[in-house]
Amino acid sequence: VQCRTGAQVVGKNAQGRDQTKVSDAPPDRNGIEEFCNNPTYKRYCDEGHIRVLYLHENESLGPAMARYDSSKLWVGETYFMQVDSHLEFAKHWDEMYTNELKATKSFPKSVLSSYPPGFTNEHSNGILE
């Protein structure tokens, strides 16, 4: 059954809920895998600084639940940040971010939130100059 969102019900899962298919497109490339296989950054993954939770689209319960699930990956680091795959980083973004965070009245219990603008040009290295 086709719906307005483009999702298509294709059957039932083990719990009896509708199983959907959103697209026939191939999966996105795995940026985390590329990052962790890069000799420059591999140590961050080996030391446990990068944690990932993968969900199949059929298990997804929407962005709010994804944010909650992601928050469970926090294990006491000083900074915790959630982003999605539609974000490009500027050079020295981490310094700018921590400086802005420290400038808030509620630091160290500050929250920075933003809805970043979209972009159309992909940079070869994913970093804005």
Side-chain angles (χ1 to χ4, degrees), residues 16-30:
R17 293 190 299 210
D18 287 342
Q19 187 171 339
T20 60
K21 181 175 89 173
V22 177
S23 170
D24 288 324
D28 294 339
R29 66 183 175 84
N30 188 332

Side-chain angles (χ1 to χ4, degrees), residues 28-38 41 45 50 52 54 85:
D28 294 339
R29 66 183 175 84
N30 188 332
I32 299 297
E33 192 173 280
E34 290 177 22
F35 179 87
C36 290
N37 288 328
N38 183 316
Y41 308 114
C45 301
I50 307 296
V52 182
Y54 293 103
S85 62

Side-chain angles (χ1 to χ4, degrees), residues 5 7-8 19-20 25 49 75 124 128:
T5 64
Q8 181 179 0
Q19 187 171 339
T20 60
H49 296 292
V75 290
S124 60
L128 298 172

Side-chain angles (χ1 to χ4, degrees), residues 33-122:
E33 192 173 280
E34 290 177 22
F35 179 87
C36 290
N37 288 328
N38 183 316
T40 304
Y41 308 114
K42 185 177 183 330
R43 71 181 177 101
Y44 297 108
C45 301
D46 293 346
E47 294 170 1
H49 296 292
I50 307 296
R51 291 178 297 282
V52 182
L53 174 67
Y54 293 103
L55 290 176
H56 189 277
E57 66 183 40
N58 292 341
E59 299 170 319
S60 172
L61 298 175
M65 192 65 185
R67 288 183 195 99
Y68 170 77
D69 289 339
S70 296
S71 74
K72 295 300 183 181
L73 298 174
W74 177 72
V75 290
E77 294 88 354
T78 303
Y79 301 104
F80 177 78
M81 186 168 118
Q82 292 182 348
V83 299
D84 73 5
S85 62
H86 304 98
L87 190 68
E88 286 187 309
F89 290 91
K91 275 192 174 187
H92 308 294
W93 69 269
D94 52 343
E95 291 174 34
M96 292 187 282
Y97 177 80
T98 54
N99 289 340
E100 189 171 339
L101 198 59
K102 289 174 183 176
T104 63
K105 291 179 182 178
S106 56
F107 182 78
K109 295 183 178 187
S110 307
V111 174
L112 297 180
S113 180
S114 174
Y115 191 90
F119 59 89
T120 55
N121 297 338
E122 287 199 35

